[in-house]
Amino acid sequence: MEGSSAEAALSVSANSIRITDLTQDGDVLTFAITSQKLNGSAGVCVFRTYEDFDWLQQSLFSQENVPGLQGIIFPPLPPKALPSQLNMQTKAFKQLGFLALGQDWQSYCKALEFYLQQVATHPTLCKCKALDGFLINSESPGKQRGRKGIFNRLSQAVEEMRKESHKDVDNFFQNERNRNTSIAALSKVATEKLLDVVMTEQKLALACGHFSTSLHLCVNQDDADAVAFSKVCLKLSDIIEAVKRNYEKVANNNLTTLGLGLDLESRYQEAEKEMLFRRTCKLVELETVKKGTEKAKANKREVMEAFQKAVEKEFNLTSSVAKQEIERFHSSRVNVLKNFLIDWCEQQLNTAKECAELYSQHLEACRNMYSE
């Protein structure tokens, strides 16, 4: 149903959206985004910078005449990447996590690609005209001045922090807030732990590379014993090189599968938290209006009651959309994370089989060397 809804609203196939190339000019990254036209076999390719992605996100936030927009869980846009920060590992990893690793910004491109696919398959957001223009117009939309959405990082506003602990009148939403708080914390910890594992695997691979290279310094042809020792060093160098490649593959598998899955899960939990907070703000607003209506004088009561009904209608609509979004969110996130886990297991299993076969070959070569 979601796919057909997206295709009815977009002029391209949502599932065909891909980021196929990347060019870098200083700190500016330009992404080549391809997609397939629905009517015919024609393909589309546009070039977008991060500012264009940010413009799209703000356009989604600031849509008018979309009922219950505040109840939507917006797909999370990855933070902006600054290539110059990669030399400052601590700062880059704190901001980007897994997206700062990998070759040629592959992980970062995949995260942006997934963001576009999630927006394009969302039953409401796919209808935003800004999205279709973003995907098919050759001119950069970032040149247009976008309005800042009223939801942008709302949960970080200092004056609103007190509302986060406000008790909900609906047990469904109170329980969801509690669940979200718990899972968001666990997702963040799991992501950070796996990131530590990947970085350790990369360091081990680097150390193995240095060790493998240093063994070549032991090669000596002065006498028979030196020649025999040199053969051992060269064979050991080959084995350590195989260990190095295995660490590299395992780390890359962790990065491109489970790592991206956990990173996405963590950012989506934050997106749900922001939606729940927006609804809590509407709840606080409604309760404030009700108190004002009760205290209003007779000559102002009619106006206040009309205003209360309008606020209550908006709150109920937001709550209705939010419940649908939460149900969709749970189903979608489980399937997405399951697919990442399956891909992770398959890749690591294939890598283990390749490594075991290679080690067997080296073991046989060592046996033959000593039997000579």
Side-chain angles (χ1 to χ4, degrees), residues 24-95:
Q24 179 179 340
D25 182 10
D27 267 348
V28 178
L29 300 175
T30 302
F31 307 90
I33 304 171
T34 62
S35 55
Q36 200 75 20
K37 284 279 190 179
L38 287 177
N39 300 323
S41 58
V44 182
C45 181
V46 295
F47 297 91
R48 299 290 183 252
T49 64
Y50 185 85
E51 283 66 30
D52 298 326
F53 280 89
D54 188 55
W55 172 87
L56 173 62
Q57 187 77 328
Q58 299 306 327
S59 298
L60 297 174
F61 285 156
S62 57
Q63 292 181 85
E64 297 178 351
N65 302 320
V66 177
L69 185 67
Q70 296 190 46
I72 288 178
I73 301 174
F74 291 89
L77 177 65
K80 183 176 182 179
L82 295 174
S84 61
Q85 288 186 354
L86 287 187
N87 295 327
M88 301 177 287
Q89 286 194 352
T90 302
K91 186 174 183 180
F93 289 150
K94 183 176 181 181
Q95 180 183 9

Side-chain angles (χ1 to χ4, degrees), residues 175-241:
N175 292 335
E176 185 64 19
R177 283 165 59 182
N178 295 338
R179 184 211 64 83
N180 172 262
T181 299
S182 176
I183 294 184
L186 293 173
S187 298
K188 184 177 180 180
V189 171
T191 304
E192 291 173 348
K193 294 298 183 184
L194 185 60
L195 180 59
D196 289 339
V197 170
V198 171
M199 293 178 65
T200 300
E201 289 167 342
Q202 291 179 336
K203 290 176 182 177
L204 287 170
L206 184 62
C208 287
H210 291 323
F211 184 29
S212 176
T213 301
S214 66
L215 287 169
H216 285 262
L217 300 176
C218 301
V219 174
N220 195 314
Q221 305 292 329
D222 290 345
D223 52 53
D225 289 339
V227 170
F229 180 71
S230 297
K231 287 183 179 179
V232 173
C233 288
L234 291 175
K235 174 49 64 178
L236 182 57
S237 176
D238 291 341
I239 295 172
I240 297 301
E241 185 65 25

Side-chain angles (χ1 to χ4, degrees), residues 169 279 282-283 286 311-319:
V169 295
R279 181 189 167 279
K282 298 302 295 183
L283 172 61
L286 176 59
V311 174
E312 191 168 10
K313 181 180 179 180
E314 184 179 2
F315 171 73
N316 290 335
L317 181 57
T318 298
S319 298

Side-chain angles (χ1 to χ4, degrees), residues 97-196:
F98 278 105
L99 306 187
L101 302 178
Q103 296 180 346
D104 302 323
W105 294 95
Q106 179 184 4
S107 301
Y108 191 72
C109 290
K110 197 66 180 177
L112 287 175
E113 176 183 293
F114 204 82
Y115 162 77
L116 288 176
Q117 291 172 352
Q118 290 293 294
V119 174
T121 55
H122 191 283
T124 300
L125 300 180
C126 69
K127 300 173 185 176
C128 180
K129 293 182 179 179
L131 174 62
D132 201 55
F134 179 93
L135 293 170
I136 66 174
N137 291 340
S138 58
E139 183 180 356
S140 170
K143 294 179 181 178
Q144 307 172 37
R145 187 174 181 83
R147 292 181 300 143
K148 288 291 182 181
I150 60 174
F151 311 141
N152 189 32
R153 309 307 298 171
L154 188 59
S155 62
Q156 293 187 4
V158 176
E159 65 273 14
E160 300 287 0
M161 293 298 286
R162 62 183 178 83
K163 296 180 183 178
E164 287 190 347
S165 59
H166 186 84
K167 186 172 177 58
D168 209 294
V169 295
D170 189 325
N171 287 334
F172 172 84
F173 285 103
Q174 185 63 51
N175 292 335
E176 185 64 19
R177 283 165 59 182
N178 295 338
R179 184 211 64 83
N180 172 262
T181 299
S182 176
I183 294 184
L186 293 173
S187 298
K188 184 177 180 180
V189 171
T191 304
E192 291 173 348
K193 294 298 183 184
L194 185 60
L195 180 59
D196 289 339

